[in-house]
Amino acid sequence: MSLDTGGIAETYQSLLKAHLQEGGEETLQQAYELGRRALTGAFGLLGMTALHHEAVLALLREARLSEEKLSSVRAAQALFIECLSPYEMTQLGHRE
């Protein structure tokens, strides 16, 4: 996936890694602020979902998860995004 996310993808990936290592209120607050930044940049729900899955895949690659298992994670992502599509369409319809 190669989206121009204005640095949101990279920030999210770093933040996810930090949250998994340290947890706590600080990373949750940073995630909230990042979500607000993404929302004002018209970054949709499906985009944020895909961005999250890509960040998780990157962490799993670092953990040396097999390609077969990474493929399963990608398939799960595709199914989840399809389930969210009606939400995205409704949200976009309300913005117009």
Side-chain angles (χ1 to χ4, degrees):
M1 171 188 208
S2 66
L3 289 173
D4 179 15
T5 62
I8 291 173
E10 296 81 4
T11 302
Y12 183 80
Q13 187 166 347
S14 296
L15 189 57
L16 178 60
K17 193 172 194 175
H19 185 70
L20 293 175
Q21 291 172 349
E22 303 159 17
E25 197 60 36
E26 184 179 336
T27 53
L28 293 175
Q29 179 63 36
Q30 290 174 8
Y32 178 81
E33 293 302 325
L34 184 63
R36 287 176 54 100
R37 186 173 129 210
L39 186 60
T40 60
F43 205 73
L45 180 62
L46 296 181
M48 286 300 292
T49 301
L51 184 145
H52 170 76
H53 282 283
E54 288 299 318
V56 169
L57 281 172
L59 291 174
L60 294 175
R61 276 188 205 97
E62 285 179 18
R64 303 203 186 285
L65 197 65
S66 73
E67 192 55 45
E68 180 182 341
K69 290 185 177 162
L70 288 172
S71 231
S72 293
V73 172
R74 286 187 197 98
Q77 172 193 3
L79 181 73
F80 183 61
I81 286 177
E82 275 308 306
C83 285
L84 291 178
S85 292
Y87 291 93
E88 179 84 348
M89 288 185 280
T90 301
Q91 182 185 25
L92 291 174
H94 285 290
R95 282 187 183 175
E96 294 175 357

Coordinates of all heavy atoms in Angstrom, one line a residue:
M1 N 0.9 -1.2 0.0 CA 0.0 0.0 0.0 C 0.9 1.2 0.0 O 1.8 1.4 0.8 CB -0.9 0.0 1.3 CG -1.6 1.2 1.5 SD -2.4 1.1 3.1 CE -3.8 2.1 2.8
S2 N 0.7 2.1 -0.9 CA 1.5 3.4 -0.9 C 0.5 4.6 -1.0 O 0.1 4.9 -2.1 CB 2.5 3.4 -2.0 OG 1.9 3.4 -3.3
L3 N 0.2 5.1 0.1 CA -0.7 6.3 0.1 C 0.1 7.4 0.6 O 1.0 7.3 1.4 CB -1.8 6.1 1.1 CG -2.9 5.1 0.8 CD1 -3.9 5.0 2.0 CD2 -3.7 5.6 -0.4
D4 N -0.2 8.6 0.1 CA 0.4 9.8 0.6 C -0.4 10.2 1.8 O -1.5 10.8 1.7 CB 0.5 10.9 -0.5 CG 1.1 12.2 0.1 OD1 1.7 12.2 1.1 OD2 0.9 13.2 -0.6
T5 N 0.1 10.0 3.0 CA -0.6 10.2 4.2 C -0.1 11.4 5.0 O -0.6 11.7 6.1 CB -0.6 9.0 5.1 OG1 0.8 8.7 5.5 CG2 -1.2 7.8 4.4
G6 N 0.8 12.2 4.4 CA 1.3 13.4 5.1 C 2.0 13.1 6.4 O 1.9 13.8 7.3
G7 N 2.6 11.9 6.4 CA 3.4 11.5 7.6 C 2.5 10.8 8.7 O 3.1 10.4 9.7
I8 N 1.2 10.7 8.4 CA 0.3 10.1 9.4 C 0.7 8.6 9.5 O 0.7 8.1 10.7 CB -1.1 10.3 9.1 CG1 -1.5 11.8 9.2 CG2 -2.0 9.4 9.9 CD1 -2.9 12.2 8.8
A9 N 1.0 7.9 8.4 CA 1.3 6.5 8.5 C 2.5 6.2 9.3 O 2.5 5.3 10.2 CB 1.4 5.9 7.1
E10 N 3.6 7.0 9.1 CA 4.8 6.8 9.8 C 4.7 7.1 11.3 O 5.2 6.4 12.1 CB 5.9 7.7 9.2 CG 6.3 7.4 7.7 CD 5.3 7.9 6.7 OE1 4.4 8.7 7.1 OE2 5.5 7.6 5.5
T11 N 3.9 8.2 11.6 CA 3.7 8.6 12.9 C 2.9 7.5 13.6 O 3.2 7.1 14.8 CB 3.0 9.9 13.0 OG1 3.7 10.9 12.4 CG2 2.7 10.3 14.5
Y12 N 1.9 6.9 13.0 CA 1.0 5.9 13.6 C 1.9 4.7 13.8 O 1.8 4.0 14.9 CB -0.2 5.6 12.7 CG -1.0 4.5 13.4 CD1 -2.0 4.9 14.3 CD2 -0.9 3.2 13.1 CE1 -2.7 4.0 15.0 CE2 -1.7 2.3 13.7 CZ -2.6 2.7 14.7 OH -3.4 1.7 15.3
Q13 N 2.7 4.3 12.9 CA 3.5 3.1 13.1 C 4.4 3.2 14.3 O 4.5 2.3 15.1 CB 4.3 2.7 11.8 CG 5.0 1.4 11.9 CD 5.5 0.9 10.5 OE1 5.1 1.5 9.5 NE2 6.3 -0.1 10.5
S14 N 5.1 4.3 14.4 CA 6.0 4.6 15.6 C 5.2 4.6 16.8 O 5.6 4.1 17.9 CB 6.7 5.9 15.4 OG 7.5 5.9 14.3
L15 N 4.0 5.2 16.8 CA 3.2 5.3 18.0 C 2.6 3.9 18.4 O 2.6 3.6 19.6 CB 2.0 6.2 17.7 CG 1.1 6.6 18.8 CD1 1.9 7.3 20.0 CD2 0.0 7.6 18.3
L16 N 2.3 3.1 17.4 CA 1.8 1.7 17.8 C 2.9 0.9 18.4 O 2.7 0.3 19.4 CB 1.3 1.0 16.5 CG 0.9 -0.4 16.6 CD1 -0.3 -0.5 17.6 CD2 0.5 -1.0 15.3
K17 N 4.1 1.0 17.9 CA 5.2 0.3 18.4 C 5.5 0.8 19.9 O 5.7 0.0 20.8 CB 6.5 0.5 17.6 CG 7.6 -0.4 17.8 CD 8.7 -0.2 16.8 CE 9.7 -1.3 16.8 NZ 10.7 -1.2 15.7
A18 N 5.5 2.1 20.1 CA 5.7 2.6 21.4 C 4.6 2.2 22.4 O 4.9 1.8 23.5 CB 5.8 4.1 21.4
H19 N 3.4 2.2 21.9 CA 2.3 1.8 22.8 C 2.4 0.3 23.2 O 2.1 0.0 24.3 CB 0.9 2.1 22.1 CG -0.2 1.8 23.0 ND1 -0.6 2.6 24.1 CD2 -1.2 0.8 23.0 CE1 -1.6 2.1 24.7 NE2 -2.0 1.0 24.0
L20 N 2.7 -0.5 22.3 CA 2.9 -2.0 22.6 C 4.0 -2.2 23.5 O 4.0 -3.1 24.3 CB 3.1 -2.8 21.3 CG 1.9 -2.8 20.4 CD1 2.2 -3.5 19.1 CD2 0.6 -3.4 21.0
Q21 N 5.1 -1.4 23.5 CA 6.2 -1.5 24.3 C 6.0 -0.9 25.7 O 6.4 -1.5 26.7 CB 7.5 -0.9 23.7 CG 8.0 -1.7 22.5 CD 9.1 -1.0 21.8 OE1 9.4 0.2 22.0 NE2 9.7 -1.7 20.8
E22 N 5.4 0.3 25.7 CA 5.2 1.0 27.0 C 3.8 1.1 27.5 O 3.6 1.2 28.7 CB 5.8 2.5 26.7 CG 7.2 2.5 26.2 CD 7.5 3.8 25.6 OE1 6.8 4.8 25.8 OE2 8.5 3.9 24.8
G23 N 2.9 1.2 26.6 CA 1.5 1.4 27.0 C 1.3 2.8 27.6 O 2.1 3.7 27.5
G24 N 0.2 2.9 28.3 CA 0.0 4.1 29.1 C -0.8 5.2 28.4 O -1.2 5.1 27.3
E25 N -1.1 6.2 29.2 CA -2.0 7.3 28.8 C -1.3 8.2 27.8 O -2.0 8.7 26.9 CB -2.4 8.1 30.1 CG -3.6 9.0 29.9 CD -4.8 8.3 29.5 OE1 -5.1 7.1 30.0 OE2 -5.6 8.8 28.7
E26 N 0.0 8.3 27.8 CA 0.6 9.2 26.9 C 0.5 8.8 25.4 O 0.1 9.6 24.6 CB 2.1 9.4 27.2 CG 2.8 10.4 26.3 CD 4.3 10.5 26.7 OE1 4.7 10.2 27.8 OE2 5.1 10.9 25.8
T27 N 0.7 7.5 25.2 CA 0.5 7.1 23.8 C -1.0 7.1 23.3 O -1.2 7.4 22.2 CB 1.1 5.7 23.6 OG1 0.5 4.8 24.5 CG2 2.6 5.6 23.7
L28 N -1.9 6.9 24.3 CA -3.3 7.0 23.9 C -3.7 8.4 23.6 O -4.4 8.7 22.6 CB -4.2 6.5 25.1 CG -4.1 5.0 25.4 CD1 -4.9 4.6 26.6 CD2 -4.5 4.1 24.2
Q29 N -3.1 9.4 24.3 CA -3.4 10.8 24.0 C -2.8 11.2 22.7 O -3.4 11.9 21.9 CB -2.8 11.7 25.2 CG -3.0 13.2 24.9 CD -4.5 13.6 24.9 OE1 -5.3 13.0 25.6 NE2 -4.8 14.5 24.0
Q30 N -1.6 10.7 22.4 CA -1.0 11.0 21.1 C -1.8 10.4 20.0 O -1.9 10.9 18.9 CB 0.5 10.4 21.1 CG 1.4 11.2 22.0 CD 2.8 10.6 22.0 OE1 3.1 9.7 21.3 NE2 3.6 11.1 22.9
A31 N -2.4 9.2 20.2 CA -3.2 8.5 19.2 C -4.5 9.3 18.9 O -4.9 9.5 17.8 CB -3.6 7.1 19.6
Y32 N -5.0 9.9 20.0 CA -6.2 10.7 19.9 C -5.9 11.9 19.0 O -6.6 12.3 18.1 CB -6.7 11.1 21.3 CG -7.9 12.0 21.2 CD1 -9.2 11.5 21.0 CD2 -7.8 13.4 21.3 CE1 -10.3 12.3 21.0 CE2 -8.9 14.2 21.3 CZ -10.1 13.7 21.1 OH -11.2 14.5 21.0
E33 N -4.8 12.6 19.3 CA -4.4 13.8 18.6 C -4.1 13.4 17.1 O -4.4 14.2 16.2 CB -3.2 14.5 19.2 CG -3.5 15.1 20.6 CD -4.6 16.1 20.5 OE1 -4.8 16.8 19.5 OE2 -5.4 16.2 21.5
L34 N -3.5 12.3 16.9 CA -3.2 11.9 15.5 C -4.5 11.6 14.7 O -4.6 12.0 13.6 CB -2.3 10.6 15.5 CG -1.9 10.1 14.1 CD1 -1.0 11.2 13.4 CD2 -1.2 8.8 14.3
G35 N -5.5 11.0 15.4 CA -6.8 10.8 14.8 C -7.5 12.1 14.4 O -8.0 12.2 13.3
R36 N -7.4 13.1 15.3 CA -7.9 14.4 15.0 C -7.2 15.0 13.8 O -7.9 15.6 12.9 CB -7.8 15.3 16.2 CG -8.8 15.0 17.3 CD -8.6 15.8 18.5 NE -8.7 17.3 18.2 CZ -9.7 18.0 18.4 NH1 -10.8 17.5 18.9 NH2 -9.7 19.3 18.0
R37 N -5.9 14.9 13.7 CA -5.2 15.4 12.6 C -5.6 14.7 11.3 O -5.8 15.4 10.2 CB -3.7 15.2 12.8 CG -2.8 15.8 11.8 CD -1.3 15.8 12.2 NE -0.6 15.2 11.1 CZ 0.5 14.5 11.2 NH1 1.0 14.2 12.4 NH2 1.1 14.0 10.1
A38 N -5.7 13.4 11.4 CA -6.2 12.6 10.2 C -7.6 13.0 9.7 O -7.8 13.2 8.5 CB -6.1 11.1 10.5
L39 N -8.4 13.2 10.7 CA -9.8 13.6 10.4 C -9.9 15.0 9.7 O -10.6 15.2 8.7 CB -10.6 13.6 11.7 CG -12.1 13.8 11.5 CD1 -12.8 12.8 10.6 CD2 -12.8 13.8 12.9
T40 N -9.1 15.9 10.2 CA -9.1 17.3 9.6 C -8.5 17.2 8.2 O -8.8 18.1 7.4 CB -8.4 18.3 10.5 OG1 -7.1 18.0 10.7 CG2 -9.2 18.5 11.8
G41 N -7.7 16.2 7.9 CA -7.1 16.1 6.6 C -7.9 15.2 5.7 O -7.5 14.8 4.6
A42 N -9.2 15.0 6.1 CA -10.2 14.2 5.3 C -9.7 12.8 5.1 O -9.9 12.2 4.1 CB -10.5 14.9 4.0
F43 N -8.9 12.3 6.0 CA -8.5 10.9 6.0 C -9.6 10.0 6.5 O -9.9 10.1 7.7 CB -7.2 10.8 6.8 CG -6.3 9.7 6.4 CD1 -5.6 9.7 5.2 CD2 -6.2 8.5 7.2 CE1 -4.7 8.7 4.9 CE2 -5.3 7.5 6.8 CZ -4.6 7.6 5.6
G44 N -10.2 9.2 5.7 CA -11.4 8.4 6.1 C -11.1 7.2 7.0 O -10.0 6.8 7.3
L45 N -12.2 6.7 7.4 CA -12.2 5.5 8.3 C -11.5 4.3 7.6 O -10.7 3.6 8.3 CB -13.7 5.1 8.6 CG -13.9 3.9 9.5 CD1 -13.2 4.1 10.9 CD2 -15.4 3.6 9.7
L46 N -11.8 4.1 6.4 CA -11.1 3.0 5.7 C -9.6 3.2 5.5 O -8.8 2.3 5.6 CB -11.8 2.7 4.3 CG -13.2 2.3 4.3 CD1 -13.8 2.0 2.9 CD2 -13.4 1.1 5.2
G47 N -9.3 4.4 5.3 CA -7.8 4.8 5.2 C -7.1 4.5 6.5 O -6.0 4.0 6.5
M48 N -7.8 4.9 7.6 CA -7.2 4.7 8.9 C -7.1 3.2 9.2 O -6.1 2.7 9.8 CB -8.0 5.4 10.0 CG -7.8 6.9 10.0 SD -6.0 7.4 10.3 CE -5.8 6.9 12.0
T49 N -8.1 2.5 8.8 CA -8.1 1.0 9.0 C -7.0 0.4 8.3 O -6.2 -0.5 8.8 CB -9.4 0.4 8.6 OG1 -10.5 1.0 9.4 CG2 -9.5 -1.1 8.8
A50 N -6.8 0.7 7.0 CA -5.7 0.2 6.2 C -4.4 0.6 6.8 O -3.5 -0.3 6.8 CB -5.9 0.7 4.7
L51 N -4.3 1.8 7.2 CA -3.0 2.3 7.8 C -2.7 1.4 9.1 O -1.5 1.0 9.2 CB -3.2 3.8 8.2 CG -2.1 4.5 8.7 CD1 -2.2 6.0 8.2 CD2 -2.1 4.5 10.2
H52 N -3.7 1.2 9.9 CA -3.4 0.3 11.1 C -3.0 -1.1 10.7 O -2.0 -1.6 11.3 CB -4.7 0.2 11.9 CG -4.6 -0.8 13.0 ND1 -3.9 -0.6 14.2 CD2 -5.2 -2.0 13.1 CE1 -4.0 -1.6 14.9 NE2 -4.8 -2.5 14.3
H53 N -3.6 -1.7 9.7 CA -3.3 -3.0 9.3 C -1.8 -3.0 8.7 O -1.1 -4.0 9.0 CB -4.3 -3.6 8.3 CG -5.5 -4.1 9.0 ND1 -5.6 -5.3 9.6 CD2 -6.7 -3.5 9.0 CE1 -6.8 -5.4 10.1 NE2 -7.5 -4.4 9.8
E54 N -1.5 -2.0 8.0 CA -0.1 -2.0 7.5 C 0.9 -1.8 8.6 O 2.0 -2.5 8.5 CB 0.0 -0.8 6.5 CG -0.7 -1.0 5.2 CD -0.2 -2.3 4.4 OE1 1.1 -2.5 4.3 OE2 -1.0 -3.0 3.9
A55 N 0.6 -1.1 9.6 CA 1.5 -0.9 10.7 C 1.6 -2.3 11.5 O 2.7 -2.6 11.9 CB 1.0 0.2 11.7
V56 N 0.5 -3.0 11.6 CA 0.6 -4.3 12.3 C 1.4 -5.3 11.5 O 2.2 -6.0 12.0 CB -0.9 -4.8 12.6 CG1 -0.8 -6.3 13.0 CG2 -1.6 -4.0 13.6
L57 N 1.2 -5.3 10.2 CA 2.0 -6.1 9.3 C 3.4 -5.8 9.4 O 4.3 -6.8 9.4 CB 1.5 -6.0 7.8 CG 0.3 -6.7 7.4 CD1 -0.2 -6.3 6.0 CD2 0.5 -8.2 7.5
A58 N 3.8 -4.6 9.5 CA 5.2 -4.2 9.6 C 5.8 -4.8 10.9 O 6.9 -5.3 10.9 CB 5.4 -2.7 9.6
L59 N 5.0 -4.7 12.0 CA 5.5 -5.3 13.3 C 5.6 -6.8 13.2 O 6.6 -7.4 13.7 CB 4.5 -4.9 14.4 CG 4.5 -3.4 14.8 CD1 3.5 -3.1 15.8 CD2 5.9 -3.0 15.3
L60 N 4.7 -7.4 12.5 CA 4.7 -8.9 12.3 C 5.9 -9.3 11.5 O 6.5 -10.3 11.7 CB 3.4 -9.4 11.8 CG 2.2 -9.2 12.7 CD1 0.9 -9.7 12.0 CD2 2.4 -10.0 14.0
R61 N 6.2 -8.5 10.4 CA 7.4 -8.8 9.6 C 8.7 -8.7 10.5 O 9.6 -9.5 10.3 CB 7.5 -7.8 8.5 CG 6.7 -8.2 7.3 CD 7.0 -7.3 6.1 NE 5.8 -7.3 5.2 CZ 4.9 -6.3 5.2 NH1 5.0 -5.3 6.0 NH2 3.9 -6.4 4.4
E62 N 8.7 -7.6 11.3 CA 9.9 -7.5 12.2 C 10.0 -8.7 13.1 O 11.1 -9.1 13.5 CB 9.8 -6.2 13.1 CG 10.0 -4.9 12.3 CD 9.8 -3.7 13.2 OE1 9.8 -3.8 14.5 OE2 9.7 -2.6 12.7
A63 N 8.9 -9.3 13.5 CA 8.9 -10.5 14.4 C 9.1 -11.7 13.6 O 9.1 -12.8 14.1 CB 7.6 -10.6 15.1
R64 N 9.4 -11.6 12.3 CA 9.7 -12.7 11.3 C 8.5 -13.7 11.2 O 8.8 -14.9 11.2 CB 11.0 -13.3 11.7 CG 12.2 -12.4 11.7 CD 13.4 -13.2 11.6 NE 14.6 -12.3 11.7 CZ 15.1 -11.4 10.9 NH1 14.4 -11.2 9.8 NH2 16.2 -10.8 11.1
L65 N 7.3 -13.2 11.1 CA 6.2 -14.0 10.9 C 6.2 -14.6 9.5 O 6.7 -13.8 8.5 CB 4.9 -13.2 11.1 CG 3.6 -14.0 11.2 CD1 3.6 -14.8 12.5 CD2 2.4 -13.1 11.3
S66 N 5.9 -15.8 9.2 CA 6.0 -16.4 7.9 C 5.1 -15.7 6.9 O 4.1 -15.1 7.2 CB 5.6 -17.9 8.0 OG 4.2 -18.0 8.1
E67 N 5.5 -15.8 5.6 CA 4.7 -15.1 4.6 C 3.3 -15.7 4.5 O 2.3 -15.0 4.2 CB 5.4 -15.3 3.2 CG 4.9 -14.5 2.1 CD 4.8 -13.0 2.4 OE1 5.8 -12.4 3.0 OE2 3.8 -12.3 2.1
E68 N 3.1 -17.0 4.8 CA 1.8 -17.6 4.8 C 0.9 -16.9 5.8 O -0.3 -16.6 5.6 CB 1.9 -19.1 5.0 CG 0.6 -19.8 5.1 CD 0.8 -21.3 5.4 OE1 1.9 -21.8 5.2 OE2 -0.2 -21.9 5.8
K69 N 1.4 -16.7 7.0 CA 0.7 -16.1 8.1 C 0.4 -14.6 7.8 O -0.7 -14.1 8.0 CB 1.3 -16.2 9.4 CG 1.3 -17.7 9.8 CD 1.8 -17.9 11.2 CE 1.6 -19.4 11.5 NZ 2.4 -19.9 12.6
L70 N 1.4 -13.9 7.2 CA 1.2 -12.5 6.7 C 0.0 -12.5 5.7 O -0.8 -11.5 5.7 CB 2.4 -11.9 6.2 CG 3.6 -11.6 7.2 CD1 4.8 -11.2 6.5 CD2 3.1 -10.6 8.2
S71 N 0.0 -13.4 4.8 CA -1.1 -13.5 3.8 C -2.5 -13.6 4.5 O -3.4 -13.0 4.1 CB -0.9 -14.7 3.0 OG -0.9 -14.4 1.6
S72 N -2.5 -14.4 5.6 CA -3.8 -14.6 6.3 C -4.2 -13.2 7.0 O -5.4 -12.9 7.0 CB -3.6 -15.6 7.4 OG -3.5 -16.9 6.8
V73 N -3.2 -12.5 7.5 CA -3.5 -11.2 8.1 C -4.0 -10.2 7.0 O -5.0 -9.5 7.2 CB -2.3 -10.6 8.8 CG1 -2.5 -9.2 9.2 CG2 -1.9 -11.5 10.0
R74 N -3.4 -10.3 5.8 CA -3.9 -9.4 4.7 C -5.4 -9.8 4.3 O -6.2 -8.9 4.0 CB -3.0 -9.6 3.5 CG -1.7 -8.9 3.6 CD -0.9 -8.9 2.3 NE 0.5 -8.6 2.6 CZ 1.5 -9.5 2.8 NH1 1.2 -10.8 2.6 NH2 2.7 -9.1 3.0
A75 N -5.7 -11.1 4.3 CA -7.0 -11.5 3.9 C -8.0 -11.0 5.0 O -9.1 -10.6 4.7 CB -7.1 -13.0 3.8
A76 N -7.6 -11.1 6.3 CA -8.5 -10.6 7.3 C -8.7 -9.1 7.2 O -9.8 -8.6 7.4 CB -7.8 -10.9 8.7
Q77 N -7.7 -8.4 6.8 CA -7.8 -6.9 6.6 C -8.8 -6.7 5.5 O -9.7 -5.8 5.7 CB -6.5 -6.3 6.2 CG -6.6 -4.9 5.8 CD -5.3 -4.4 5.1 OE1 -4.4 -5.1 4.9 NE2 -5.3 -3.1 4.8
A78 N -8.7 -7.4 4.4 CA -9.7 -7.1 3.3 C -11.1 -7.4 3.7 O -12.0 -6.6 3.4 CB -9.3 -8.0 2.1
L79 N -11.3 -8.4 4.5 CA -12.7 -8.7 4.9 C -13.2 -7.6 5.9 O -14.3 -7.2 5.8 CB -12.7 -10.1 5.7 CG -14.1 -10.5 6.2 CD1 -15.0 -10.9 5.0 CD2 -13.9 -11.7 7.2
F80 N -12.3 -7.2 6.8 CA -12.7 -6.2 7.8 C -13.0 -4.9 7.1 O -14.0 -4.2 7.4 CB -11.6 -6.0 8.8 CG -11.9 -5.0 9.9 CD1 -13.0 -5.2 10.7 CD2 -11.1 -3.9 10.0 CE1 -13.2 -4.3 11.7 CE2 -11.4 -3.0 11.0 CZ -12.4 -3.2 11.9
I81 N -12.2 -4.5 6.1 CA -12.5 -3.2 5.3 C -13.8 -3.3 4.6 O -14.5 -2.3 4.5 CB -11.3 -2.9 4.4 CG1 -10.1 -2.4 5.3 CG2 -11.7 -1.9 3.4 CD1 -8.9 -2.1 4.5
E82 N -14.1 -4.5 4.0 CA -15.4 -4.6 3.4 C -16.6 -4.4 4.3 O -17.6 -3.8 4.0 CB -15.6 -6.0 2.7 CG -15.0 -6.1 1.3 CD -15.5 -5.0 0.4 OE1 -16.7 -4.8 0.2 OE2 -14.6 -4.3 -0.2
C83 N -16.4 -4.9 5.6 CA -17.5 -4.7 6.6 C -17.6 -3.2 6.9 O -18.7 -2.8 7.3 CB -17.1 -5.5 7.8 SG -17.4 -7.3 7.7
L84 N -16.5 -2.5 6.9 CA -16.6 -1.1 7.2 C -17.0 -0.2 6.1 O -17.4 1.0 6.3 CB -15.2 -0.6 7.7 CG -14.8 -1.2 9.1 CD1 -13.4 -0.6 9.4 CD2 -15.7 -0.8 10.2
S85 N -17.1 -0.7 4.9 CA -17.4 0.2 3.7 C -18.7 0.9 3.9 O -18.8 2.1 3.6 CB -17.4 -0.7 2.4 OG -16.1 -1.1 2.1
P86 N -19.8 0.3 4.4 CA -21.0 1.0 4.5 C -20.9 2.2 5.5 O -21.5 3.2 5.3 CB -22.0 0.0 5.1 CG -21.5 -1.4 4.6 CD -20.0 -1.2 4.7
Y87 N -20.1 2.0 6.5 CA -19.9 3.1 7.5 C -19.2 4.3 6.8 O -19.6 5.4 7.0 CB -19.0 2.6 8.7 CG -19.7 1.7 9.6 CD1 -19.5 0.3 9.4 CD2 -20.4 2.1 10.6 CE1 -20.1 -0.6 10.2 CE2 -21.1 1.2 11.5 CZ -20.9 -0.1 11.3 OH -21.5 -1.0 12.1
E88 N -18.2 4.0 6.0 CA -17.5 5.0 5.3 C -18.4 5.7 4.3 O -18.4 7.0 4.2 CB -16.3 4.4 4.5 CG -15.5 5.3 3.7 CD -14.4 6.1 4.5 OE1 -14.4 6.0 5.7 OE2 -13.6 6.7 3.8
M89 N -19.2 5.0 3.6 CA -20.1 5.6 2.6 C -21.1 6.5 3.3 O -21.5 7.6 2.9 CB -20.9 4.6 1.8 CG -19.9 3.9 0.8 SD -20.8 2.8 -0.3 CE -20.9 1.3 0.7
T90 N -21.6 6.1 4.5 CA -22.6 6.9 5.3 C -21.9 8.1 5.8 O -22.4 9.2 5.7 CB -23.1 6.1 6.5 OG1 -23.8 4.9 5.9 CG2 -24.1 6.9 7.3
Q91 N -20.7 8.0 6.3 CA -19.9 9.2 6.8 C -19.7 10.2 5.7 O -19.9 11.4 5.9 CB -18.6 8.7 7.4 CG -17.8 9.8 8.0 CD -16.4 9.3 8.5 OE1 -15.9 8.3 8.1 NE2 -15.9 10.1 9.4
L92 N -19.3 9.7 4.6 CA -19.0 10.6 3.4 C -20.3 11.3 3.0 O -20.3 12.4 2.6 CB -18.3 9.8 2.3 CG -16.9 9.4 2.6 CD1 -16.4 8.5 1.4 CD2 -16.0 10.5 2.8
G93 N -21.4 10.5 3.0 CA -22.7 11.1 2.6 C -23.1 12.2 3.5 O -23.7 13.2 3.1
H94 N -22.8 12.1 4.8 CA -23.2 13.2 5.7 C -22.3 14.4 5.6 O -22.8 15.5 5.9 CB -23.1 12.6 7.2 CG -24.2 11.7 7.5 ND1 -25.5 12.2 7.7 CD2 -24.3 10.4 7.7 CE1 -26.3 11.1 8.0 NE2 -25.6 10.1 8.0
R95 N -21.1 14.3 5.1 CA -20.2 15.4 4.9 C -20.7 16.3 3.8 O -20.4 17.5 3.7 CB -18.8 14.9 4.6 CG -18.1 14.5 5.8 CD -16.6 14.2 5.5 NE -15.9 13.7 6.6 CZ -14.7 13.3 6.6 NH1 -14.0 13.3 5.4 NH2 -14.1 12.9 7.7
E96 N -21.3 15.7 2.8 CA -21.7 16.4 1.6 C -22.9 17.2 1.8 O -23.6 17.7 2.3 CB -21.9 15.5 0.4 CG -20.7 14.8 0.0 CD -20.9 13.7 -1.1 OE1 -22.0 13.5 -1.5 OE2 -19.9 13.2 -1.6

